Amino acid sequence: MTTPDLFATARRAASGRFSRSTEMTLIVVGAVGFAILVASSHGSLLRGDAVHGILLYLTVPILIGLAQLVVLAVGQMNLSVGTLGGFLAVLIAVLMADHGVPAPMAIVIALAAGPAIGAINGLLVVATRINGFIVTLATMTILGGLQYRLAGTRTIDLGGSGLARLGTESVLNVPVIFLIALLVAAALAFFLRRATAGRRLLASGGNPLAARLSGISNDRSVIAAHALSGLIIAVAAILTVASAPGVNKSIGGDWLLPSFAAPIIGGAALAGGSVSVLGAVLAAFIVRLVDVARAQYSLDPSWVNFTVGAVVLGTVLAGRIRAVRQERAGRSPDRDAIPREGHPPDKPATSPRTDIARSAS
């Protein structure tokens, strides 16, 4: 077989895998859902202001989903996503409104504090060997108290500031803050798929023993994942301050469920080692469509959480059923994601999913 034939075969194989992937399913579901909403709104959903609003309020769900995704990649969970984001948002607002700190300096402080607090979470997990679920539950409570201490019962208005103007800027009716979220997603996808540090991070989540035998520090991966999560949360906090009419103690209080929904519905493995940045972005869009449908059909707000929670639970159960079937068939459920020495993976590294498909060492 000639080289062009090999390339053509590889392209057809990759195309076939993508057509059966979670991402393709989400694309179809999102397109059908959006089409239904457009038809039921008699086309009003296609107006410029409606599209702008959907994209504007899609920014934070994408970012918090990515913040959770990078921790799930190492088999951990971060329950402090919401309170860390809320604390950083309030910190930015207090620095600017109460202490006259310029917006660029406040942003730099938030971008430094986010990964620092995330790294502390990772260090606590590594030092105590306590599950990240418990550690981040504790830091969630601490940060919630600090957020209330800073904001109290007031709402801090930063209208007219340079940061607030950022939230109103758009390019061809696409909000600038949404474009920033997409840039973060692209950078994270590149990091996990192409950077050595990203592949090592995924290797630690997929098979810690094999990673350690390959010379990869699992402890370092856990700390790096939590620090990177904190950095992404800091970006989410900055963009929240830029787009929100005011900042108070309730900011971030409703981020926890969406942060898990996006990566899990998008195909992330709870055990770690296999995630999909594209899937998380698409899942965040679908969750946003659920909220749009609630507003359009005047449904009770509780239906949004009910629907999202049910979908997340269904996704987890479906993944577990698939794993059990694979075990009964005599193969490990993570066989496609973690290459064994002497046994090449079934799918190449160019798969749309961000898996471990090559040596990370």
Side-chain angles (χ1 to χ4, degrees):
M1 184 178 291
T2 63
T3 299
D5 290 337
L6 288 174
F7 285 147
T9 301
R11 283 196 299 269
R12 284 195 297 269
S15 176
R17 277 190 296 272
F18 185 72
S19 67
R20 298 188 298 271
S21 67
T22 301
E23 292 89 343
M24 189 63 198
T25 301
L26 292 173
I27 289 173
V28 172
V29 171
V32 171
F34 185 73
I36 292 174
L37 290 176
V38 169
S40 62
S41 68
H42 304 290
S44 63
L45 202 60
L46 293 177
R47 290 203 305 262
D49 56 343
V51 173
H52 185 276
I54 291 175
L55 297 180
L56 183 68
Y57 292 106
L58 183 57
T59 300
V60 171
I62 288 176
L63 290 172
I64 60 178
L66 297 178
Q68 194 67 253
L69 175 144
V70 75
V71 178
L72 289 173
V74 293
Q76 296 273 316
M77 294 184 183
N78 186 0
L79 298 186
S80 64
V81 165
T83 52
L84 176 54
F87 166 73
L88 292 175
V90 168
L91 177 63
I92 293 170
V94 168
L95 287 174
M96 293 177 61
D98 295 352
H99 302 286
V101 176
M105 181 61 68
I107 290 173
V108 169
I109 292 173
L111 290 175
I117 295 173
I120 291 173
N121 278 337
L123 285 169
L124 288 173
V125 171
V126 168
T128 63
R129 299 299 171 186
I130 298 175
N131 189 283
F133 182 93
I134 302 300
V135 170
T136 56
L137 177 63
T139 54
M140 177 183 73
T141 305
I142 295 171
L143 290 170
L146 291 175
Q147 180 180 354
Y148 181 79
R149 178 71 176 177
L150 287 174
T153 58
R154 61 177 172 153
T155 296
I156 305 172
D157 184 8
L158 295 176
S161 67
L163 188 56
R165 286 194 296 273
L166 174 64
T168 63
E169 295 293 331
S170 61
V171 177
L172 300 177
N173 203 42
V174 178
V176 169
I177 63 172
F178 175 73
L179 295 176
I180 294 174
L182 292 184
L183 287 175
V184 172
L188 180 61
F190 178 85
F191 172 76
L192 293 175
R193 293 186 61 171
R194 301 298 181 185
T196 300
R199 296 199 301 271
R200 288 178 176 176
L201 185 147
L202 284 169
S204 293
N207 194 325
L209 177 59
R212 186 168 65 251
L213 293 176
S214 299
I216 297 172
S217 172
N218 294 320
D219 290 348
R220 190 177 301 165
S221 295
V222 169
I223 296 171
H226 280 281
L228 183 55
S229 177
L231 177 61
I232 298 173
I233 294 169
V235 176
I238 293 167
L239 299 186
T240 296
V241 175
S243 59
V247 178
N248 55 37
K249 62 182 179 62
S250 66
I251 291 290
D254 57 350
W255 288 10
L256 188 58
L257 177 59
S259 77
F260 278 104
I264 291 176
I265 297 173
L270 289 177
S274 179
V275 296
S276 172
V277 173
L278 174 60
V281 173
L282 293 171
F285 173 71
I286 292 174
V287 171
R288 175 64 183 142
L289 287 184
V290 173
D291 196 40
V292 172
R294 178 204 63 78
Q296 187 162 308
Y297 298 118
S298 301
L299 301 176
D300 190 292
S302 61
W303 279 103
V304 176
N305 286 342
F306 174 83
T307 303
V308 173
V311 172
V312 170
L313 180 60
T315 303
V316 173
L317 290 177
R320 180 55 186 162
I321 292 171
R322 183 168 56 252
V324 170
R325 286 178 177 175
Q326 290 175 341
E327 289 173 355
R328 289 177 178 175
R331 64 193 183 99
S332 171
D334 61 353
R335 172 170 167 259
D336 289 337
I338 311 298
R340 302 292 196 268
E341 185 177 353
H343 296 275
D346 290 343
K347 56 184 177 181
T350 53
S351 167
R353 289 174 62 83
T354 310
D355 301 315
I356 301 299
R358 70 184 71 173
S359 173
S361 59

Short mmCIF file of all heavy atoms in Angstrom, two decimals, residues 52 58-59 72 78 81 147 173 180 198 200 215 218 242 249 259 277 286 317 350 353:
data_model
loop_
_atom_site.label_atom_id
_atom_site.label_comp_id
_atom_site.label_asym_id
_atom_site.label_seq_id
_atom_site.Cartn_x
_atom_site.Cartn_y
_atom_site.Cartn_z
N HIS A 52 -26.14 37.10 20.96
CA HIS A 52 -25.14 37.74 21.82
C HIS A 52 -25.36 37.34 23.28
O HIS A 52 -24.40 37.04 23.99
CB HIS A 52 -25.23 39.26 21.67
CG HIS A 52 -24.17 40.01 22.42
ND1 HIS A 52 -24.29 40.33 23.76
CD2 HIS A 52 -22.96 40.49 22.01
CE1 HIS A 52 -23.22 40.98 24.15
NE2 HIS A 52 -22.39 41.10 23.11
N LEU A 58 -22.70 31.98 28.16
CA LEU A 58 -22.07 30.67 27.98
C LEU A 58 -20.61 30.71 28.42
O LEU A 58 -20.00 29.67 28.64
CB LEU A 58 -22.17 30.26 26.50
CG LEU A 58 -21.63 28.90 26.08
CD1 LEU A 58 -22.30 27.78 26.85
CD2 LEU A 58 -21.83 28.70 24.58
N THR A 59 -20.08 31.90 28.59
CA THR A 59 -18.65 32.07 28.89
C THR A 59 -18.25 31.38 30.18
O THR A 59 -17.33 30.55 30.21
CB THR A 59 -18.31 33.57 28.98
OG1 THR A 59 -18.61 34.20 27.73
CG2 THR A 59 -16.85 33.77 29.32
N LEU A 72 -10.48 16.42 37.06
CA LEU A 72 -10.99 15.08 36.77
C LEU A 72 -9.96 14.27 35.98
O LEU A 72 -9.92 13.04 36.06
CB LEU A 72 -12.28 15.16 35.97
CG LEU A 72 -13.53 15.65 36.72
CD1 LEU A 72 -14.70 15.85 35.75
CD2 LEU A 72 -13.92 14.66 37.82
N ASN A 78 -12.92 18.76 42.37
CA ASN A 78 -12.70 20.06 42.99
C ASN A 78 -14.05 20.67 43.35
O ASN A 78 -14.74 21.24 42.50
CB ASN A 78 -11.92 20.98 42.05
CG ASN A 78 -11.56 22.30 42.69
OD1 ASN A 78 -11.89 22.55 43.85
ND2 ASN A 78 -10.88 23.16 41.96
N VAL A 81 -14.71 24.92 43.24
CA VAL A 81 -14.74 25.71 42.00
C VAL A 81 -15.57 26.98 42.20
O VAL A 81 -15.13 28.09 41.87
CB VAL A 81 -15.31 24.87 40.84
CG1 VAL A 81 -15.69 25.77 39.68
CG2 VAL A 81 -14.30 23.84 40.38
N GLN A 147 -15.21 34.98 51.39
CA GLN A 147 -15.99 35.76 50.43
C GLN A 147 -17.02 36.62 51.15
O GLN A 147 -17.18 37.81 50.83
CB GLN A 147 -16.68 34.81 49.44
CG GLN A 147 -17.53 35.53 48.39
CD GLN A 147 -18.20 34.55 47.44
OE1 GLN A 147 -17.95 33.35 47.49
NE2 GLN A 147 -19.04 35.05 46.56
N ASN A 173 -20.55 40.97 16.76
CA ASN A 173 -21.64 40.59 17.66
C ASN A 173 -21.31 39.38 18.55
O ASN A 173 -22.18 38.85 19.23
CB ASN A 173 -22.93 40.29 16.89
CG ASN A 173 -24.16 40.44 17.77
OD1 ASN A 173 -24.27 41.38 18.56
ND2 ASN A 173 -25.10 39.51 17.66
N ILE A 180 -12.47 34.93 24.65
CA ILE A 180 -11.41 34.61 25.62
C ILE A 180 -11.61 33.20 26.16
O ILE A 180 -10.65 32.43 26.31
CB ILE A 180 -11.41 35.64 26.76
CG1 ILE A 180 -11.00 37.03 26.23
CG2 ILE A 180 -10.46 35.21 27.88
CD1 ILE A 180 -11.10 38.14 27.26
N GLY A 198 1.21 17.96 29.87
CA GLY A 198 -0.19 17.58 29.79
C GLY A 198 -0.37 16.08 29.64
O GLY A 198 -1.26 15.48 30.27
N ARG A 200 1.68 13.80 30.65
CA ARG A 200 2.05 13.18 31.93
C ARG A 200 0.91 13.31 32.95
O ARG A 200 0.66 12.39 33.72
CB ARG A 200 3.31 13.84 32.47
CG ARG A 200 4.57 13.47 31.70
CD ARG A 200 5.79 14.18 32.23
NE ARG A 200 7.00 13.72 31.54
CZ ARG A 200 8.19 14.23 31.74
NH1 ARG A 200 8.37 15.24 32.60
NH2 ARG A 200 9.24 13.75 31.08
N GLY A 215 8.50 6.88 35.55
CA GLY A 215 9.25 8.01 36.05
C GLY A 215 8.45 9.28 36.19
O GLY A 215 9.02 10.37 36.36
N ASN A 218 3.30 11.29 40.21
CA ASN A 218 1.86 11.46 40.34
C ASN A 218 1.52 12.61 41.28
O ASN A 218 0.53 13.33 41.06
CB ASN A 218 1.22 10.17 40.85
CG ASN A 218 1.33 9.03 39.86
OD1 ASN A 218 1.18 9.23 38.66
ND2 ASN A 218 1.62 7.83 40.35
N ALA A 242 -16.32 41.36 34.86
CA ALA A 242 -16.43 42.21 33.68
C ALA A 242 -17.85 42.25 33.13
O ALA A 242 -18.28 43.28 32.59
CB ALA A 242 -15.48 41.72 32.59
N LYS A 249 -21.89 38.42 47.64
CA LYS A 249 -21.51 37.14 48.26
C LYS A 249 -22.12 35.93 47.57
O LYS A 249 -21.72 34.80 47.85
CB LYS A 249 -21.93 37.14 49.74
CG LYS A 249 -23.42 37.27 49.97
CD LYS A 249 -23.75 37.30 51.44
CE LYS A 249 -25.25 37.46 51.69
NZ LYS A 249 -26.03 36.34 51.17
N SER A 259 -20.17 22.91 36.71
CA SER A 259 -18.75 22.58 36.54
C SER A 259 -18.56 21.08 36.35
O SER A 259 -17.63 20.65 35.64
CB SER A 259 -17.95 23.06 37.76
OG SER A 259 -18.12 22.21 38.88
N VAL A 277 -11.90 18.21 25.84
CA VAL A 277 -12.14 19.66 25.94
C VAL A 277 -13.29 20.07 25.03
O VAL A 277 -14.18 20.82 25.44
CB VAL A 277 -10.86 20.44 25.61
CG1 VAL A 277 -11.15 21.94 25.53
CG2 VAL A 277 -9.77 20.16 26.64
N ILE A 286 -25.08 22.86 25.50
CA ILE A 286 -26.37 22.17 25.64
C ILE A 286 -27.03 22.53 26.96
O ILE A 286 -28.25 22.75 27.03
CB ILE A 286 -26.16 20.65 25.51
CG1 ILE A 286 -25.75 20.30 24.07
CG2 ILE A 286 -27.42 19.88 25.91
CD1 ILE A 286 -25.38 18.86 23.86
N LEU A 317 -24.04 6.61 34.81
CA LEU A 317 -24.54 5.23 34.80
C LEU A 317 -24.22 4.55 33.48
O LEU A 317 -23.84 3.37 33.46
CB LEU A 317 -26.05 5.23 35.04
CG LEU A 317 -26.51 5.62 36.45
CD1 LEU A 317 -28.04 5.65 36.53
CD2 LEU A 317 -25.96 4.64 37.48
N THR A 350 -4.30 11.15 17.45
CA THR A 350 -5.03 12.20 16.74
C THR A 350 -6.53 12.04 16.90
O THR A 350 -7.30 12.70 16.23
CB THR A 350 -4.69 12.15 15.25
OG1 THR A 350 -4.90 10.82 14.76
CG2 THR A 350 -3.24 12.55 15.02
N ARG A 353 -10.87 12.74 20.93
CA ARG A 353 -10.84 12.76 22.40
C ARG A 353 -9.41 12.97 22.85
O ARG A 353 -8.46 12.51 22.22
CB ARG A 353 -11.37 11.45 22.97
CG ARG A 353 -12.85 11.30 22.80
CD ARG A 353 -13.28 9.92 23.27
NE ARG A 353 -12.99 9.76 24.69
CZ ARG A 353 -13.78 10.18 25.64
NH1 ARG A 353 -14.88 10.81 25.35
NH2 ARG A 353 -13.48 9.98 26.91
#
